[in-house]
Amino acid sequence: MRECDVLVIGLGHAGCEAALAAARMGRHTVGLTLSSEAIAQLSCNPSLGGPAKGHLVREVDALGGEMGLAADAAAIQVRTLNTGKGHAVRALRAQLDRRGYRSHMLRALDAEPLLEVLETEVTGLRLTGGRVTGVRTTTGGVCARAVVLATGTYLHASLVRGGERWTGGPQGQRAACDLSEALRAAGLTLGRFKTGTPPRLAGELDYSRMRRQDGDDPPGTFSFLNDRGPDVQQPCWLTHTTEESLRLVRENLHRSPLYSGMIKSVGPRYCPSFEDKVVHYPDRLRHPIFVEPDGEVFYVQGLSTSLPAAVQEAVVRTIPGLERAELVAPGYAIEYDYSDPTQLWPWLEAKALPGLWAAGQVNGSSGYEEAAGQGLLAGINAALSVRGDAPLVLGRDEGYLGVMVDDLVTRGVHEPYRLLTSRAEYRLAFRHGNADQRLTPHAVRLGLARADRVRRWEARRTCLEEALATLERTVPAAVDPDAAGTPLRVYLRRPEVTYQSLAAANLVPPLGPAEAAEVELAAKYAGYLSRQQAQADRQRRLEHLPVPVELDYGGVRGLSNEARVNLRRVRPVTVGQAGRVAGVTPADVAGLMVHLEARRRQGVQTER
């Protein structure tokens, strides 16, 4: 029987980050995969990033994760989205070479001396005194002091297209079926979600009928360790469906498993199938289609479908520019099991199964980026548990990582969860360019920041602080000597006054474009950020008020019935978290605080 400190089940995006984090923190780690071909696979779209998601990749990188480095190594096009909107919602999106991304991640896994990868299937859990202490597999078993569940969309997965259904994971890989039953038997509540993928195309495309979309010049990067993006970028193409496309879907809607009754599970709201678009938006005469390079084929973003292959091919032929394209891989839907994330503590450990952490789509989320973020935190906390140290729980005021985990474990999911900038109440502070200043101190403390990252982070921090101090000290008087006392941000709102223009006038030290933009933004939005910080400080006081996990909410006077039910289900660990539970009102929070104060005065311990 193999033994290790941390065991990671599944080596997709969540599993890779979890395994790397645990190994880099000095824990002997074993990663299990159904197939070595499935490791770090971009099983759906060949891209990363976008609003909130791109921020999340930056935060993973700032905490010492690998996704940003892998994305930079495999990027074939990089664009900044939302350039016409505020800086808080601007984010990178990169088209990737699948093989390049996977190759980078495989090298990273192989480079960790404390990390071992095994190809096997988990058939059950090993429990000792109610604690998870390992797994049973088809090749024996592994004992572990901490286990991370990162099964993605493979848990009891089945693929569906037209009237056909077959057992399997993404891209025809094996599904993990026995593990679902083992988790249910151990006491976890599982649900069923679905997702889908569009067809892949090859052959002759008519680019003259589509609009070309090029990357940025110069391209940005996801990792703070990289200064420049790809030297050569490939274009993407924009086209649209036609009325003939919509007619074909309507005529064949009864053959779609989404509308024939074959699929009953809920799919992602923000990545709907083409059939759903046609049904839910009957007045729209066309829908955008992005044709993205994907190795030797093209990925058709916006055309996710589980219609029969012949219908998919007919629909593709109605789209301008794709009339002569060859359908090399039809789209499909995939249904899979997930675990209700309110069964987890904020550090992603299962409440009913100590020793088991969960991360990624098994928690009801969607997307590579969300999975990687959860995997990194689960791996960190599994390693901290083995060391006997307190877990890392990021606040909602620290970054999108904190927002995402709190949303999942406190509010739960009714559909695949997608991180959005609108979910973050402090998003003005979560800019793409300051993730290292917010989160790298945690990486340094945890031992996840290697020497080169620490040097760059310290140098950048010093540079930004000195530049901001110089800006605040010298610019108002230099720009407008007669307006003493006018806040710096007033000047920076003038279009002609930028950090670079001030540097050209020798008023401030010269900086690179990214650093200059960060200093300018910090000064321009200082007032808003200060008010936001004051709000975060008030909320943080509630986050430091513990709620005993064994608290009998039936004995708390003034709670509504809905609040009692939901608080018993979630079992929040702080008053702040209690206030975010669905159905809990400010009056309920006030009643809870009165009850806790009465307990304190009576000398009752309130331990987390």
Side-chain angles (χ1 to χ4, degrees), residues 496-509:
E496 73 277 8
V497 180
T498 65
Y499 189 93
Q500 298 295 47
S501 70
L502 297 171
N506 295 319
L507 295 174
V508 293

Side-chain angles (χ1 to χ4, degrees), residues 113 192 211 242 246 381 385 408 441 466 570:
R192 196 87 170 144
R211 193 170 80 198
T242 62
L246 309 185
N381 284 325
S385 172
L408 289 170
E466 291 177 351
V570 175

Side-chain angles (χ1 to χ4, degrees), residues 569-580:
R569 176 175 58 86
V570 175
R571 290 158 64 193
V573 296
T574 68
V575 172
Q577 187 189 6
R580 295 188 294 274

Side-chain angles (χ1 to χ4, degrees), residues 548 550 599-600 602-608:
E550 78 284 355
R599 282 173 57 100
R600 186 188 68 80
Q602 293 167 10
V604 179
Q605 294 295 318
T606 58
E607 297 178 356
R608 281 179 67 167

Side-chain angles (χ1 to χ4, degrees), residues 148-161:
V148 178
L149 185 67
T151 50
T153 59
Y154 287 81
L155 202 58
H156 205 215
S158 61
L159 306 177
V160 189
R161 182 190 302 125

Side-chain angles (χ1 to χ4, degrees), residues 186-266:
L188 290 186
T189 299
L190 302 185
R192 196 87 170 144
F193 277 159
K194 93 31 110 170
T195 188
T197 188
R200 270 65 162 180
L201 306 179
E204 190 175 348
L205 275 59
D206 185 354
Y207 299 111
S208 67
R209 305 200 64 196
M210 300 185 284
R211 193 170 80 198
R212 179 174 173 135
Q213 293 190 316
D214 290 310
D216 293 344
D217 184 19
T221 62
F222 281 114
S223 176
F224 290 98
L225 296 182
N226 292 323
D227 297 317
R228 57 182 295 163
D231 294 326
V232 178
Q233 300 190 70
Q234 298 183 32
C236 297
W237 304 87
L238 172 64
T239 182
H240 291 82
T241 59
T242 62
E243 292 186 50
E244 178 66 9
S245 314
L246 309 185
R247 183 189 65 79
L248 281 170
V249 171
R250 292 190 188 102
E251 290 180 354
N252 290 278
L253 206 57
H254 63 286
R255 303 176 68 186
S256 167
L258 296 174
Y259 291 92
S260 68
M262 183 176 286
I263 290 179
K264 295 182 173 61
S265 52
V266 180

